[in-house]
Amino acid sequence: MNGDEIVWLVILLTIIIGDGLALYLYKKKKIPLWGSAIVMALLVPVIAYSFVSLGIHYGNKNPGNEAADEWQGLAFAGGFIVIVLALNAIIMFVIGVILNIYTFIKKKQNA
């Protein structure tokens, strides 16, 4: 599996699992959508650090590879993962705030 494929796999799985769990909890009225977005934003560095540290750990096992080039690629991949997942959390936060304002106004009008 190519390095780019692994990065996209990590991003897509994280977004699918994170957004799916956030929507499930929102529909069950357990936690607001903006709350889930804050939790996701706090987990972004953990996910990126885990990806980079696993890559460095397994990159050192390959004999003959130039470690500096490999680590630069891992750093760029980790940065890309952080940017994409942070943007996902920001978008979810904005949508959650808009939904809360909408439901607040709707309840005020009905009362």
Side-chain angles (χ1 to χ4, degrees):
M1 191 176 272
N2 193 2
D4 293 341
E5 294 169 356
I6 295 172
V7 170
W8 283 110
L9 184 67
V10 167
I11 290 173
L12 290 176
L13 284 177
T14 305
I15 288 175
I16 289 170
I17 292 170
D19 290 357
L21 184 62
L23 289 176
Y24 174 76
L25 292 173
Y26 175 73
K27 287 184 179 183
K28 293 289 183 179
K29 308 258 190 252
K30 300 281 184 188
I31 187 169
L33 201 56
W34 59 267
S36 294
I38 291 173
V39 171
M40 285 175 57
L42 293 173
L43 288 177
V44 166
V46 174
I47 294 167
Y49 176 76
S50 299
F51 174 79
V52 171
S53 65
L54 283 174
I56 289 173
H57 175 72
Y58 287 113
N60 287 339
K61 304 279 184 190
N62 296 335
N65 284 348
E66 189 63 39
D69 292 338
E70 199 169 298
W71 291 348
Q72 283 179 344
L74 281 170
F76 283 121
F80 183 69
I81 288 172
V82 166
I83 289 171
V84 172
L85 294 181
L87 284 175
N88 180 48
I90 290 169
I91 291 169
M92 184 178 288
F93 181 80
V94 170
I95 291 171
V97 169
I98 290 171
L99 283 174
N100 272 2
I101 292 171
Y102 176 74
T103 54
F104 178 75
I105 292 172
K106 197 171 184 182
K107 285 182 182 179
K108 278 285 195 184
Q109 288 177 350
N110 290 341

